């Protein structure tokens, strides 16, 4: 676990809150919670992946999961978040961001492998959730999967080839009619 000297203002919470018009996707939400807390409510060192087409709410669902009380209790050393992006992505800034969030120090990595190794060392005794958002290429994800045997990764992607072989996958398809109706009605006043 992180020591007090590593944590300035408590454990890092890097996930933004979901938008005001967030619509719960209960089936997928609970399935992901169950994967992330598969060991009697304790996190297990797995990678869970939300896979779906662009605009289907993968990032928003991940944000909501990060705000769940069960998840926050299970990951006392923080919830980390980085966004990768398309095939031209540079993963070094994401590695640096996570390193800085955990240590409070700037990272001076030589290359991706050095960054992955140093981040892995910091994760050695840490229990946190690491969200790697918008992954397009498995090679860009791999540096974030090193080390942290007590950490769990949550990946969002639209690309099947970007999913690690051992990952638990939750497909996120188009909203159900009731969910879409709730989204379309968000912010409208009830005409009672």
């Amino acid at each position: 676990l992180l020591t007090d000297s590593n944590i300035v203002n408590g454990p890092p919470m890097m996930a933004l809150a979901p938008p005001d018009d967030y619509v719960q996707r209960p089936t997928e939400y609970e399935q992901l919670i169950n994967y992330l807390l598969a060991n009697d409510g304790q996190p297990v060192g797995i990678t869970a992946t939300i896979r779906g087409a662009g605009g289907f709410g993968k990032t928003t669902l991940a944000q909501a999961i990060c705000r769940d009380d069960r998840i926050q209790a299970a990951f006392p050393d923080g919830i980390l978040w980085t966004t990768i992006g398309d095939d031209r992505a540079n993963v070094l800034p994401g590695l640096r961001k996570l390193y800085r969030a955990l240590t409070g120090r700037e990272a001076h990595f030589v290359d991706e492998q050095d960054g992955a190794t140093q981040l892995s060392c910091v994760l050695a005794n840490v229990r946190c959730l690491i969200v790697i958002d918008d992954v397009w290429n498995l090679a860009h994800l791999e540096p974030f999967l090193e080390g942290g045997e007590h950490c769990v990764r949550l990946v969002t992607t639209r690309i099947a080839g970007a999913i690690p072989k051992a990952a638990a996958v939750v497909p996120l398809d188009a909203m159900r009619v009731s969910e879409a109706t709730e989204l379309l009605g968000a912010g409208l006043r009830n005409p009672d």
Side-chain angles (χ1 to χ4, degrees):
L1 298 178
L2 290 178
T3 63
D4 290 339
S5 62
N6 296 63
I7 302 173
V8 177
N9 294 318
M13 167 47 97
M14 298 174 72
L16 297 174
D20 291 339
D21 62 354
Y22 167 66
V23 173
Q24 182 67 267
R25 309 279 297 266
T27 302
E28 295 86 353
Y29 185 95
E30 288 303 323
Q31 190 175 8
L32 284 160
I33 294 287
N34 289 335
Y35 282 142
L36 298 175
L37 305 176
N39 190 17
D40 296 325
Q42 295 299 310
V44 292
I46 65 152
T47 299
T49 302
I50 306 170
R51 180 175 177 263
F56 274 25
K58 298 177 297 295
T59 298
T60 302
L61 180 58
Q63 290 169 334
I65 285 168
C66 290
R67 298 300 172 140
D68 188 284
D69 290 340
R70 295 169 290 178
I71 293 296
Q72 291 186 14
F75 299 101
D77 294 321
I79 296 176
L80 308 177
W81 187 291
T82 191
T83 302
I84 302 300
D86 65 22
D87 281 332
R88 299 174 307 238
N90 179 353
V91 302
L92 271 174
L95 292 166
R96 287 183 183 119
K97 180 179 170 183
L98 299 184
Y99 184 89
R100 185 175 48 250
L102 287 168
T103 67
R105 299 185 312 267
E106 291 299 319
H108 302 285
F109 304 144
V110 175
D111 55 24
E112 287 178 13
Q113 185 54 54
D114 181 42
T117 300
Q118 288 192 48
L119 181 60
S120 174
C121 290
V122 172
L123 293 172
N125 296 311
V126 174
R127 202 165 75 201
C128 63
L129 174 64
I130 305 169
V131 179
I132 306 106
D133 186 35
D134 196 25
V135 176
W136 287 46
N137 185 319
L138 183 57
H140 295 153
L141 175 61
E142 288 172 345
F144 297 95
L145 300 178
E146 291 188 27
E149 67 182 45
H150 304 292
C151 297
V152 172
R153 276 76 169 183
L154 176 58
V155 177
T156 72
T157 186
R158 60 182 78 184
I159 313 287
I163 301 171
K165 286 186 180 11
V169 179
V170 174
L172 192 65
D173 296 317
M175 288 183 160
R176 292 167 186 81
V177 172
S178 61
E179 295 164 349
T181 302
E182 182 180 339
L183 179 61
L184 289 171
L188 298 177
R189 291 193 303 145
N190 192 345
D192 289 334

